Amino acid sequence: MHTLQVNFRFIFMPQMKRLLSLNLVIIGLCFIIFLAPRQGLAQNAFEVETLKTLKSEEIADEDIAKFYKRIIQEGLSIEQFGERARKQGANPQEVSKVLARLQKYEETSSENFESDSEKEVEKKSKKQTNSNLIPEEERIFGMELFESSNFSFEPNLRIPTPSNYLIGAGDELLIDVFGYSEQTFNPKVNPDGKIRIPNIGLISVAGLTIEQASSKIKRSLSNVYSGVSTGQTQVSVTLGNIRSIRVMVTGEVSKPGSYTIPSLASVFNVLYAAGGPTKNGSFRNIVVVRNNKIISKLDVYEFLKTGISKNNIHLQDNDVVKIFPYQTRVQLIGEVKRQGYFEAKEKETLNDLLEIAGGFTSKAYQARIKVTRNTSSQKSVADVPSELFKMFTLMNGDVFKIDSLLDRYENRVKIEGAVFRPGDFQLEPNLTVGKLIQKADGFKEDAFGTRGVIYRLKEDNMLEMLSFNPIEVLTGASKDIQLKREDKVLIAYKSESKEGRKVVINGEVLYPGVYDFADNMTIADLIVAAGGFKESASIKRVEVSRRKLDVDRKSGTSEISIIKQFNLERELKNSGDAEFNLASFDMVSVFRNEGLVTPKTVKIEGEVMFPGSYVLSKSKETITDLILRSGGLTGNGYPEGAMLLRKKQMNATDNIIALNKKRALKQQSKDSLTSKKLEETEKESPYDIVGIDLDKLLKKPGSPEDLLLRDGDILIIPDAKQTVLVSGEVLYPVRIRFQKRNSLKDYVSEAGGFSARALKRKSYVVYPNGRAKATRAFLGLKFYPKIIAGSEVVVPQKAEKRQVSAIEYATIITSLTSLLLLTYTLIQ
């Protein structure tokens, strides 16, 4: 067994070594064939030939990142790169695929700096919503900057590399050699702070700026590329993928801890990620500690006030951001542009505080500000006049209240009414009523010049009234009156001294109604103002009624109005009655022409030769006249079923009864049955059914039953009927073929007979013409109405009888027993 093992090793070991060597050669060839072209693709992506042969599947995911960075360095957008590729002859489909991958990478890379996840953003949005519920005067100024989801403070990773950016371990450099020599290198800074360039070796770049590193790299490359020294070959050094750094946020911060952020992040970026200061945190004393030394102090208020982010430096690895507790916080409420709690620095004054708050509103009382201050044992109140704003220093807990202006004027007088310029005027020294009227440019033509009124406030703020004669004041005939603050002078109009002067016109004019009366107004003027006569107007009868001012109220027969009638011409010429002068409150009535009759129309439908609408030719046209005009009945016409529909004509009493019925049903509409009745009432047909016997009328036209037609009547002639409808309390309501020999009981029998709830003796028949006939009884015998084709047999329901309950029976028996006992006792 031992011999076999030795032989096995001796025989197979050399062959295994040869196989291993062969595999290494194959792997190397594969790397040269497949991987090398992909590296060159990203480097030469912008070359013409490469753009022409652009294929999405040949670009690895890591090359897409390099592709994207190269596009950004060239100052292009993804869309502009796509346009360039298409112009160079690239396949449009391949270009679209590459652009889609680039856009996807852009969306992914923009999410690298998200210490807030989507849930965190949602929390901030909820926090912001809750903070909006806090009254404005209770909010801490500056807090909304970190609570609002509208601010993100994400670092911009697409900006040119800052000149003061220090390279560190993990950064990727993009070294582009172009000119006589073409080469691209993407070295990454190792933990020792060095990069490796092929054929060059290691170069230490950690702690250098991009500019310093670029100079050092160029010197190293000039040893290999001679054109670098002569300028024939250029070298570009930029920052590729940046490293991540860790910083510590501590102190009065919402979420203290260690944060991994891009190396381009600033103090504001990490403050936002950490949720900003707490309620006890300072917004004006935030420091950055580097290597155990404070290198920067940040004041958030400076940024909010001026927009300048002073001392918002870029952070480095292992930096500490410290937020101290606030020292002085004051409250500002009232008429300032920003209310709330404000943090103050040492030696800041009230004037500085007002500047941070945006200053006063337009309604603020600026002469002095009330301040409530905490002492060692209690509170105190003080007034700060405006001249001390710049000297009044702030203390922790101060509350400043800015009042509003008083809603009153210190030097105002008013004039209203019939003057040319009514309104407010300045109360000057020695201002009188006459001078005020002159300031208002005097009276209007329709001013009531003999009496004016001054409304004045007395010392106890009660109102008093002073009267004067405006004309006499202006002419000097009477003494002028000295005005005081808040006096109001009223000069009335003449028209106001008269009650509203109106005239009324009604009847056959285009626009009847009420019109303003004017002096010297005539009948013709009012008719023209009302649009003129209608064609139906009777110009021979125009009536004017005028009120009397001396009516004898004690006499029951005294005349209360003066009535005059006029015969006018349609052209209303300026002569005769048309020139009658009206007085205010006159009423003009234009009557309808007595010979004019409005055409009346009726309608005939169904089985006639010429159905349709007809205008009545005479005032006494009958049903048979209409049938004659319509050409008579067709062969299929059924005169026994003819029906006349007539519009309901309700007088004032009927309307009131219907309205009250509807109101009563609405008040009881909670009951489903009542609601149904209300719906039925509102859906009631506007027509009444008038029962007629057309067959009899056609045989005797002009008889008393041959009704006169009215405007809107509808005459319906149905076609021949062959069935009878049986409905109501039968076992099976059904429509049955008409048989002349059958009676009402026969049709009920064919519908299954009467039901248990049927009220047999009240059965009735509704004929197709709208008439109805009930069952009659005589000496115990029932006489059922005749049935014709198209009739409906209706069997009504018995009224429900309420059964007496056991309790009710007991009550009745007890009452009767008590009554009998009482009677017996009385008899005894």
Side-chain angles (χ1 to χ4, degrees):
M1 189 68 181
H2 181 70
T3 306
L4 286 172
Q5 288 178 349
V6 172
N7 290 338
F8 177 83
R9 289 174 183 170
F10 180 79
I11 294 168
F12 288 101
M13 282 301 289
Q15 294 182 13
M16 290 177 68
K17 288 180 179 179
R18 284 195 295 272
L19 283 170
L20 183 60
S21 301
L22 182 61
N23 285 337
L24 290 171
V25 171
I26 292 170
I27 291 169
L29 288 172
C30 289
F31 178 82
I32 294 169
I33 293 169
F34 294 102
L35 297 182
R38 288 189 177 180
Q39 290 178 354
L41 181 62
Q43 294 168 4
N44 303 315
F46 286 77
E47 300 299 326
V48 174
E49 294 303 321
T50 306
L51 288 175
K52 285 183 180 179
T53 59
L54 188 67
K55 289 187 178 180
S56 175
E57 60 270 13
E58 293 181 0
I59 306 175
D61 289 339
E62 59 269 19
D63 289 332
I64 283 289
K66 296 173 183 176
F67 229 121
Y68 177 77
K69 286 167 187 165
R70 183 70 182 274
I71 290 170
I72 298 301
Q73 288 169 4
E74 291 287 329
L76 300 174
S77 65
I78 294 175
E79 291 77 11
Q80 289 170 335
F81 168 73
E83 287 296 323
R84 178 185 288 188
R86 293 187 188 96
K87 288 179 181 177
Q88 298 296 341
N91 186 330
Q93 293 181 348
E94 293 296 331
V95 172
S96 299
K97 291 179 183 178
V98 173
L99 293 183
R101 292 181 65 186
L102 287 169
Q103 286 170 347
K104 187 175 180 181
Y105 173 78
E106 183 180 41
E107 291 172 2
T108 306
S109 63
S110 66
E111 295 172 1
N112 287 339
F113 183 70
E114 284 195 1
S115 56
D116 304 331
S117 61
E118 288 184 2
K119 290 183 180 179
E120 198 64 35
V121 173
E122 186 178 350
K123 283 181 184 178
K124 286 197 172 187
S125 180
K126 287 181 180 177
K127 190 175 180 183
Q128 180 191 0
T129 304
N130 292 334
S131 68
N132 288 339
L133 299 176
I134 301 172
E136 185 183 359
E137 63 271 12
E138 297 293 329
R139 297 178 193 170
I140 299 173
F141 180 65
M143 188 72 79
E144 71 278 1
L145 189 66
F146 301 101
E147 291 179 347
S148 174
S149 58
N150 298 326
F151 297 102
S152 64
F153 285 111
E154 292 180 6
N156 189 355
L157 305 181
R158 301 174 191 170
I159 60 172
T161 306
S163 59
N164 60 348
Y165 180 79
L166 298 180
I167 299 171
D171 282 338
E172 182 188 48
L173 299 182
L174 302 179
I175 304 171
D176 195 4
V177 181
F178 56 94
Y180 275 12
S181 301
E182 296 284 339
Q183 188 64 44
T184 301
F185 306 102
N186 303 319
K188 195 170 184 179
V189 181
N190 64 23
D192 294 332
K194 298 177 181 179
I195 60 172
R196 178 183 290 277
I197 301 176
N199 301 322
I200 302 296
L202 294 173
I203 303 173
S204 180
V205 294
L208 302 179
T209 65
I210 284 291
E211 188 177 349
Q212 292 168 343
S214 180
S215 300
K216 193 170 184 179
I217 292 169
K218 285 179 183 178
R219 286 197 300 271
S220 300
L221 288 173
S222 63
N223 297 328
V224 177
Y225 300 98
S226 57
V228 174
S229 302
T230 62
Q232 294 175 331
T233 300
Q234 303 293 323
V235 179
S236 171
V237 180
T238 56
L239 191 64
N241 285 332
I242 61 174
R243 69 186 186 277
S244 294
I245 61 173
R246 291 190 70 79
V247 296
M248 179 69 70
V249 185
T250 184
E252 293 294 332
V253 64
S254 296
K255 293 178 289 184
S258 180
Y259 288 84
T260 300
I261 57 175
S263 54
L264 284 176
S266 66
V267 183
F268 268 127
N269 300 142
V270 76
L271 281 177
Y272 182 79
T278 63
K279 289 184 178 180
N280 292 325
S282 172
F283 289 83
R284 313 194 66 182
N285 191 12
I286 302 170
V287 300
V288 178
V289 179
R290 184 175 297 163
N291 299 325
N292 295 323
K293 292 181 180 179
I294 295 175
I295 64 164
S296 177
K297 285 187 177 182
L298 181 68
D299 185 350
V300 176
Y301 280 16
E302 191 69 29
F303 169 72
L304 293 173
K305 188 171 71 171
T306 64
I308 301 171
S309 53
K310 190 177 178 182
N311 296 331
N312 183 29
I313 63 172
H314 290 287
L315 297 172
Q316 295 185 15
D317 202 21
N318 297 320
D319 279 354
V320 177
V321 178
K322 168 75 174 178
I323 301 177
F324 290 93
Y326 73 85
Q327 296 299 316
T328 303
R329 183 177 286 171
V330 299
Q331 188 180 16
L332 205 57
I333 57 177
E335 296 298 331
V336 284
K337 292 174 183 174
R338 296 190 196 104
Q339 298 185 78
Y341 288 97
F342 295 83
E343 187 180 345
K345 286 184 175 180
E346 189 179 357
K347 295 183 180 180
E348 280 192 337
T349 65
L350 178 55
N351 198 66
D352 299 323
L353 176 62
L354 291 171
E355 188 177 344
I356 295 172
F360 295 106
T361 66
S362 58
K363 298 179 181 179
Y365 174 63
Q366 303 180 26
R368 62 173 56 85
I369 294 176
K370 292 179 182 177
V371 57
T372 303
R373 173 164 287 182
N374 298 329
T375 65
S376 57
S377 59
Q378 54 189 344
K379 293 184 177 182
S380 66
V381 178
D383 288 338
V384 184
S386 57
E387 57 269 17
L388 296 180
F389 287 173
K390 293 183 179 181
M391 294 180 281
F392 190 85
T393 55
L394 307 177
M395 289 180 61
N396 188 37
D398 283 352
V399 179
F400 296 93
K401 184 177 180 182
I402 294 87
D403 291 326
S404 303
L405 291 171
L406 296 176
D407 190 18
R408 57 177 290 172
Y409 294 84
E410 63 181 14
N411 62 340
R412 180 182 68 168
V413 290
K414 278 186 177 183
I415 185 168
E416 295 178 355
V419 291
F420 285 103
R421 297 189 185 279
D424 298 344
F425 289 87
Q426 177 187 355
L427 178 60
E428 298 172 345
N430 302 318
L431 182 65
T432 61
V433 172
K435 291 178 181 178
L436 181 59
I437 293 172
Q438 290 174 356
K439 277 192 170 189
D441 286 348
F443 298 141
K444 288 184 177 180
E445 293 80 0
D446 55 346
F448 194 72
T450 57
R451 191 174 185 86
V453 177
I454 301 172
Y455 294 95
R456 175 169 290 175
L457 292 175
K458 297 193 292 184
E459 291 182 1
D460 58 358
N461 225 29
M462 297 296 290
L463 192 67
E464 69 173 340
M465 185 182 293
L466 306 174
S467 60
F468 65 97
N469 188 315
I471 294 175
E472 291 182 359
V473 165
L474 288 176
T475 57
S478 63
K479 186 180 179 181
D480 210 344
I481 302 173
Q482 186 87 21
L483 293 176
K484 295 183 178 181
R485 186 184 68 83
E486 290 299 303
D487 277 358
K488 183 170 78 172
V489 178
L490 178 63
I491 308 296
Y493 287 91
K494 284 182 179 178
S495 56
E496 291 174 354
S497 64
K498 304 175 182 178
E499 53 184 315
R501 303 194 300 170
K502 303 287 182 181
V503 286
V504 179
I505 184 169
N506 52 42
E508 299 303 304
V509 290
L510 288 177
Y511 307 110
V514 181
Y515 291 83
D516 291 328
F517 173 75
D519 291 336
N520 301 318
M521 178 183 276
T522 64
I523 295 178
D525 296 332
L526 181 57
I527 292 171
V528 169
F533 291 118
K534 289 183 180 178
E535 286 191 12
S536 57
S538 171
I539 58 174
K540 295 180 180 179
R541 188 180 178 87
V542 177
E543 192 173 273
V544 176
S545 60
R546 179 170 293 174
R547 64 177 182 172
K548 289 189 70 176
L549 302 177
D550 55 351
V551 178
D552 184 5
R553 300 290 299 278
K554 294 180 180 180
S555 173
T557 58
S558 60
E559 188 181 46
I560 59 173
S561 296
I562 301 171
I563 306 297
K564 291 189 177 184
Q565 294 181 353
F566 299 92
N567 186 351
L568 305 180
E569 296 180 7
R570 191 166 289 275
E571 294 79 12
L572 295 173
K573 294 180 180 178
N574 295 333
S575 61
D577 291 345
E579 292 304 303
F580 176 78
N581 285 326
L582 298 175
S584 58
F585 303 104
D586 277 359
M587 183 177 290
V588 179
S589 301
V590 180
F591 297 102
R592 190 180 185 82
N593 190 338
E594 67 275 9
L596 182 67
V597 179
T598 304
K600 298 177 181 179
T601 58
V602 293
K603 199 173 185 181
I604 186 167
E605 298 176 354
E607 296 299 322
V608 291
M609 298 301 295
F610 302 103
S613 296
Y614 289 83
V615 177
L616 296 179
S617 60
K618 52 188 177 182
S619 59
K620 293 187 177 182
E621 193 160 352
T622 63
I623 294 173
T624 53
D625 293 335
L626 179 61
I627 290 175
L628 185 64
R629 288 176 63 187
S630 64
L633 274 60
T634 65
N636 199 32
Y638 185 54
E640 289 87 351
M643 183 186 298
L644 180 66
L645 299 180
R646 177 159 289 172
K647 284 184 180 179
K648 291 180 179 178
Q649 294 183 342
M650 297 172 66
N651 55 33
T653 305
D654 294 334
N655 282 323
I656 292 170
I657 292 170
L659 184 62
N660 290 336
K661 181 182 177 183
K662 194 178 287 187
R663 283 175 180 169
L665 288 172
K666 280 185 178 179
Q667 289 173 356
Q668 303 168 12
S669 59
K670 292 181 181 178
D671 178 13
S672 59
L673 184 63
T674 310
S675 298
K676 191 173 180 182
K677 286 181 182 177
L678 180 60
E679 288 176 13
E680 290 173 359
T681 304
E682 290 177 345
K683 291 179 182 178
E684 260 182 23
S685 170
Y687 290 94
D688 286 323
I689 298 173
V690 181
I692 58 173
D693 188 347
L694 185 60
D695 191 32
K696 185 177 178 181
L697 293 179
L698 292 175
K699 292 174 183 177
K700 292 184 179 181
S703 64
E705 293 186 6
D706 195 1
L707 298 176
L708 298 176
L709 295 173
R710 287 184 184 175
D711 186 30
D713 281 355
I714 301 174
L715 182 61
I716 302 172
I717 312 296
D719 55 0
K721 305 294 180 183
Q722 298 181 344
T723 60
V724 173
L725 176 63
V726 184
S727 64
E729 291 300 321
V730 291
L731 294 179
Y732 186 68
V734 68
R735 193 177 288 277
I736 302 167
R737 185 173 67 84
F738 171 71
Q739 294 184 13
K740 193 171 183 181
R741 66 177 180 275
N742 285 0
S743 66
L744 182 145
K745 290 189 71 174
D746 295 328
Y747 285 110
V748 170
S749 179
E750 289 191 42
F754 294 105
S755 70
R757 296 183 298 175
L759 187 61
K760 301 176 186 177
R761 57 188 177 83
K762 293 293 184 180
S763 300
Y764 61 94
V765 176
V766 178
Y767 294 105
N769 64 359
R771 290 183 175 181
K773 203 167 185 180
T775 301
R776 294 182 292 108
F778 180 72
L779 299 176
L781 299 175
K782 292 186 177 65
F783 297 93
Y784 294 105
K786 182 183 176 182
I787 308 294
I788 64 172
S791 299
E792 179 183 1
V793 177
V794 181
V795 181
Q797 180 182 343
K798 289 179 182 177
E800 290 187 6
K801 293 182 179 179
R802 192 175 67 84
Q803 293 183 348
V804 181
S805 65
I807 295 173
E808 289 173 329
Y809 272 122
T811 304
I812 293 169
I813 292 169
T814 303
S815 300
L816 289 173
T817 304
S818 300
L819 184 61
L820 290 171
L821 287 171
L822 179 62
T823 306
Y824 176 77
T825 303
L826 290 172
I827 292 171
Q828 289 297 321

